PDB file of all heavy atoms in Angstrom:
ATOM      1  N   TYR A   4      38.216 116.745  53.946  1.00  0.00           N
ATOM      2  CA  TYR A   4      37.244 117.560  54.594  1.00  0.00           C
ATOM      3  C   TYR A   4      36.390 116.667  55.435  1.00  0.00           C
ATOM      4  O   TYR A   4      35.981 115.518  55.051  1.00  0.00           O
ATOM      5  CB  TYR A   4      36.326 118.260  53.598  1.00  0.00           C
ATOM      6  CG  TYR A   4      37.006 119.283  52.740  1.00  0.00           C
ATOM      7  CD1 TYR A   4      37.507 118.879  51.532  1.00  0.00           C
ATOM      8  CD2 TYR A   4      37.126 120.578  53.185  1.00  0.00           C
ATOM      9  CE1 TYR A   4      38.130 119.867  50.630  1.00  0.00           C
ATOM     10  CE2 TYR A   4      37.780 121.570  52.328  1.00  0.00           C
ATOM     11  CZ  TYR A   4      38.289 121.128  51.108  1.00  0.00           C
ATOM     12  OH  TYR A   4      38.841 122.117  50.309  1.00  0.00           O
ATOM     13  N   THR A   5      36.193 116.994  56.760  1.00  0.00           N
ATOM     14  CA  THR A   5      35.349 116.267  57.712  1.00  0.00           C
ATOM     15  C   THR A   5      33.924 116.920  57.652  1.00  0.00           C
ATOM     16  O   THR A   5      33.817 118.046  57.937  1.00  0.00           O
ATOM     17  CB  THR A   5      36.011 116.224  59.069  1.00  0.00           C
ATOM     18  OG1 THR A   5      37.201 115.638  58.995  1.00  0.00           O
ATOM     19  CG2 THR A   5      35.078 115.467  59.974  1.00  0.00           C
ATOM     20  N   LEU A   6      32.948 116.053  57.366  1.00  0.00           N
ATOM     21  CA  LEU A   6      31.524 116.606  57.317  1.00  0.00           C
ATOM     22  C   LEU A   6      30.583 115.692  58.085  1.00  0.00           C
ATOM     23  O   LEU A   6      30.801 114.442  58.081  1.00  0.00           O
ATOM     24  CB  LEU A   6      31.072 116.641  55.790  1.00  0.00           C
ATOM     25  CG  LEU A   6      31.979 117.507  54.921  1.00  0.00           C
ATOM     26  CD1 LEU A   6      31.694 117.201  53.436  1.00  0.00           C
ATOM     27  CD2 LEU A   6      31.791 119.002  55.201  1.00  0.00           C
ATOM     28  N   LEU A  25      25.788 116.954  47.907  1.00  0.00           N
ATOM     29  CA  LEU A  25      25.335 118.397  47.620  1.00  0.00           C
ATOM     30  C   LEU A  25      25.708 119.122  48.950  1.00  0.00           C
ATOM     31  O   LEU A  25      25.079 118.858  49.967  1.00  0.00           O
ATOM     32  CB  LEU A  25      23.860 118.390  47.313  1.00  0.00           C
ATOM     33  CG  LEU A  25      23.227 119.789  47.192  1.00  0.00           C
ATOM     34  CD1 LEU A  25      23.862 120.521  45.924  1.00  0.00           C
ATOM     35  CD2 LEU A  25      21.796 119.682  46.978  1.00  0.00           C
ATOM     36  N   ARG A  26      26.652 120.051  48.901  1.00  0.00           N
ATOM     37  CA  ARG A  26      27.032 120.776  50.043  1.00  0.00           C
ATOM     38  C   ARG A  26      27.108 122.241  49.799  1.00  0.00           C
ATOM     39  O   ARG A  26      27.331 122.762  48.664  1.00  0.00           O
ATOM     40  CB  ARG A  26      28.476 120.188  50.499  1.00  0.00           C
ATOM     41  CG  ARG A  26      28.502 118.792  50.839  1.00  0.00           C
ATOM     42  CD  ARG A  26      27.793 118.691  52.222  1.00  0.00           C
ATOM     43  NE  ARG A  26      27.697 117.185  52.633  1.00  0.00           N
ATOM     44  CZ  ARG A  26      27.719 116.831  53.873  1.00  0.00           C
ATOM     45  NH1 ARG A  26      27.705 117.692  54.801  1.00  0.00           N
ATOM     46  NH2 ARG A  26      27.635 115.552  54.211  1.00  0.00           N
ATOM     47  N   SER A  27      27.095 123.001  50.882  1.00  0.00           N
ATOM     48  CA  SER A  27      27.237 124.489  50.896  1.00  0.00           C
ATOM     49  C   SER A  27      28.665 124.746  50.520  1.00  0.00           C
ATOM     50  O   SER A  27      29.648 124.142  51.014  1.00  0.00           O
ATOM     51  CB  SER A  27      26.857 124.980  52.208  1.00  0.00           C
ATOM     52  OG  SER A  27      27.287 126.393  52.345  1.00  0.00           O
ATOM     53  N   GLU A  28      28.828 125.783  49.656  1.00  0.00           N
ATOM     54  CA  GLU A  28      30.145 126.181  49.324  1.00  0.00           C
ATOM     55  C   GLU A  28      30.965 126.744  50.514  1.00  0.00           C
ATOM     56  O   GLU A  28      32.219 126.763  50.537  1.00  0.00           O
ATOM     57  CB  GLU A  28      30.122 127.200  48.178  1.00  0.00           C
ATOM     58  CG  GLU A  28      29.716 126.708  46.884  1.00  0.00           C
ATOM     59  CD  GLU A  28      29.454 127.683  45.792  1.00  0.00           C
ATOM     60  OE1 GLU A  28      29.564 128.886  46.115  1.00  0.00           O
ATOM     61  OE2 GLU A  28      29.288 127.259  44.646  1.00  0.00           O
ATOM     62  N   ALA A  29      30.227 127.140  51.559  1.00  0.00           N
ATOM     63  CA  ALA A  29      30.801 127.720  52.773  1.00  0.00           C
ATOM     64  C   ALA A  29      31.487 126.487  53.504  1.00  0.00           C
ATOM     65  O   ALA A  29      32.462 126.742  54.121  1.00  0.00           O
ATOM     66  CB  ALA A  29      29.817 128.333  53.782  1.00  0.00           C
ATOM     67  N   ASP A  30      31.041 125.266  53.416  1.00  0.00           N
ATOM     68  CA  ASP A  30      31.637 124.077  54.020  1.00  0.00           C
ATOM     69  C   ASP A  30      32.846 123.591  53.265  1.00  0.00           C
ATOM     70  O   ASP A  30      33.731 122.995  53.800  1.00  0.00           O
ATOM     71  CB  ASP A  30      30.603 122.963  54.103  1.00  0.00           C
ATOM     72  CG  ASP A  30      29.417 123.257  55.139  1.00  0.00           C
ATOM     73  OD1 ASP A  30      29.575 124.132  55.978  1.00  0.00           O
ATOM     74  OD2 ASP A  30      28.437 122.599  54.967  1.00  0.00           O
ATOM     75  N   LEU A  31      32.834 123.826  51.972  1.00  0.00           N
ATOM     76  CA  LEU A  31      33.920 123.233  51.117  1.00  0.00           C
ATOM     77  C   LEU A  31      34.385 124.348  50.171  1.00  0.00           C
ATOM     78  O   LEU A  31      34.223 124.289  48.914  1.00  0.00           O
ATOM     79  CB  LEU A  31      33.394 122.073  50.247  1.00  0.00           C
ATOM     80  CG  LEU A  31      32.777 120.941  51.062  1.00  0.00           C
ATOM     81  CD1 LEU A  31      32.024 119.953  50.198  1.00  0.00           C
ATOM     82  CD2 LEU A  31      33.912 120.238  51.775  1.00  0.00           C
ATOM     83  N   PRO A  32      34.974 125.365  50.669  1.00  0.00           N
ATOM     84  CA  PRO A  32      35.276 126.543  49.726  1.00  0.00           C
ATOM     85  C   PRO A  32      36.339 126.243  48.735  1.00  0.00           C
ATOM     86  O   PRO A  32      36.275 126.818  47.636  1.00  0.00           O
ATOM     87  CB  PRO A  32      35.871 127.575  50.759  1.00  0.00           C
ATOM     88  CG  PRO A  32      36.378 126.760  51.862  1.00  0.00           C
ATOM     89  CD  PRO A  32      35.489 125.571  52.018  1.00  0.00           C
ATOM     90  N   GLN A  33      37.284 125.342  48.933  1.00  0.00           N
ATOM     91  CA  GLN A  33      38.299 125.073  47.870  1.00  0.00           C
ATOM     92  C   GLN A  33      38.249 123.586  47.388  1.00  0.00           C
ATOM     93  O   GLN A  33      39.297 123.068  47.017  1.00  0.00           O
ATOM     94  CB  GLN A  33      39.647 125.330  48.524  1.00  0.00           C
ATOM     95  CG  GLN A  33      39.833 126.761  48.984  1.00  0.00           C
ATOM     96  CD  GLN A  33      39.789 127.802  47.755  1.00  0.00           C
ATOM     97  OE1 GLN A  33      40.382 127.540  46.771  1.00  0.00           O
ATOM     98  NE2 GLN A  33      39.173 128.930  47.998  1.00  0.00           N
ATOM     99  N   VAL A  34      37.105 122.913  47.520  1.00  0.00           N
ATOM    100  CA  VAL A  34      37.065 121.488  47.183  1.00  0.00           C
ATOM    101  C   VAL A  34      37.471 121.269  45.651  1.00  0.00           C
ATOM    102  O   VAL A  34      37.275 122.158  44.803  1.00  0.00           O
ATOM    103  CB  VAL A  34      35.672 120.928  47.505  1.00  0.00           C
ATOM    104  CG1 VAL A  34      34.637 121.435  46.419  1.00  0.00           C
ATOM    105  CG2 VAL A  34      35.770 119.391  47.329  1.00  0.00           C
ATOM    106  N   PRO A  74      22.038 128.648  44.259  1.00  0.00           N
ATOM    107  CA  PRO A  74      23.313 129.441  44.409  1.00  0.00           C
ATOM    108  C   PRO A  74      23.959 129.178  45.876  1.00  0.00           C
ATOM    109  O   PRO A  74      23.270 129.129  46.773  1.00  0.00           O
ATOM    110  CB  PRO A  74      22.920 130.883  44.270  1.00  0.00           C
ATOM    111  CG  PRO A  74      21.622 130.836  43.438  1.00  0.00           C
ATOM    112  CD  PRO A  74      20.956 129.501  43.891  1.00  0.00           C
ATOM    113  N   GLY A  75      25.223 129.042  45.779  1.00  0.00           N
ATOM    114  CA  GLY A  75      25.922 128.792  47.032  1.00  0.00           C
ATOM    115  C   GLY A  75      26.192 127.364  47.423  1.00  0.00           C
ATOM    116  O   GLY A  75      26.696 127.019  48.415  1.00  0.00           O
ATOM    117  N   TYR A  76      25.761 126.507  46.557  1.00  0.00           N
ATOM    118  CA  TYR A  76      25.917 124.985  46.816  1.00  0.00           C
ATOM    119  C   TYR A  76      26.762 124.393  45.640  1.00  0.00           C
ATOM    120  O   TYR A  76      26.818 124.825  44.505  1.00  0.00           O
ATOM    121  CB  TYR A  76      24.550 124.231  46.850  1.00  0.00           C
ATOM    122  CG  TYR A  76      23.882 124.474  48.143  1.00  0.00           C
ATOM    123  CD1 TYR A  76      23.286 125.750  48.414  1.00  0.00           C
ATOM    124  CD2 TYR A  76      23.986 123.531  49.148  1.00  0.00           C
ATOM    125  CE1 TYR A  76      22.707 125.968  49.725  1.00  0.00           C
ATOM    126  CE2 TYR A  76      23.387 123.832  50.422  1.00  0.00           C
ATOM    127  CZ  TYR A  76      22.817 124.953  50.745  1.00  0.00           C
ATOM    128  OH  TYR A  76      22.238 125.198  51.894  1.00  0.00           O
ATOM    129  N   THR A  77      27.427 123.225  46.044  1.00  0.00           N
ATOM    130  CA  THR A  77      28.259 122.540  45.057  1.00  0.00           C
ATOM    131  C   THR A  77      27.747 121.080  45.012  1.00  0.00           C
ATOM    132  O   THR A  77      27.439 120.406  45.991  1.00  0.00           O
ATOM    133  CB  THR A  77      29.697 122.472  45.642  1.00  0.00           C
ATOM    134  OG1 THR A  77      30.154 123.812  45.729  1.00  0.00           O
ATOM    135  CG2 THR A  77      30.604 121.744  44.668  1.00  0.00           C
ATOM    136  N   MET A  79      28.762 117.348  43.892  1.00  0.00           N
ATOM    137  CA  MET A  79      29.938 116.599  43.599  1.00  0.00           C
ATOM    138  C   MET A  79      29.558 115.137  43.357  1.00  0.00           C
ATOM    139  O   MET A  79      28.703 114.578  44.171  1.00  0.00           O
ATOM    140  CB  MET A  79      30.957 116.646  44.727  1.00  0.00           C
ATOM    141  CG  MET A  79      31.503 118.053  45.031  1.00  0.00           C
ATOM    142  SD  MET A  79      32.082 118.139  46.744  1.00  0.00           S
ATOM    143  CE  MET A  79      30.663 118.240  47.646  1.00  0.00           C
TER     144      MET A  79
END
Side-chain angles (χ1 to χ4, degrees):
Y4 295 93
T5 302
L6 303 168
L25 177 64
R26 296 291 178 148
S27 166
E28 290 173 354
D30 293 339
L31 303 167
Q33 302 293 320
V34 70
Y76 281 80
T77 301
M79 299 160 283

